[in-house]
Amino acid sequence: RSIAKRAGISLGTLTYHFSGKAQLIAMCLDLFVDSEINSLTKLANFSDEPEIALEAAIRNQVELTLHPYARRFDFEYWAYAEHD
């Protein structure tokens, strides 16, 4: 319910598209991974010098890791996996 409320949609709409919490989490994780692959691909092509491209990719990953939402998502995903 809280997910539907924060997304600004009805609970019925959410449950119509996702059979349960596991499917919703899996979709979020898929979207996150796809986004990261796209970001890292762009960063790999950032420079003709491999060292500069690698530094940009590492900096991106560190910033992502330190982002509070990323840490919360990791924790929620882990907690759900342990619960199930």
Side-chain angles (χ1 to χ4, degrees):
R1 293 172 197 235
S2 64
I3 293 170
K5 184 177 179 180
R6 288 187 69 177
I9 60 175
S10 71
L11 181 58
T13 299
L14 185 64
T15 57
Y16 176 80
H17 291 284
F18 300 98
S19 62
K21 194 173 185 179
Q23 189 182 24
L24 178 60
I25 290 172
M27 176 62 74
C28 290
L29 189 58
D30 285 346
L31 292 171
F32 174 76
V33 169
D34 288 346
S35 174
E36 279 307 290
I37 290 171
N38 289 334
S39 292
L40 289 173
T41 300
K42 288 177 186 176
L43 289 170
N45 297 319
F46 176 72
S47 174
D48 291 334
E49 296 182 43
E51 295 85 6
I52 293 174
L54 179 60
E55 181 181 344
I58 291 171
R59 187 177 313 275
N60 179 69
Q61 288 305 114
V62 168
E63 289 173 5
L64 176 67
T65 301
L66 296 176
H67 194 282
Y69 289 128
R71 289 193 309 229
R72 183 173 179 192
F73 181 76
D74 287 343
F75 178 75
E76 291 288 335
Y77 189 69
W78 171 81
Y80 185 74
E82 288 295 314
H83 176 72
D84 206 26

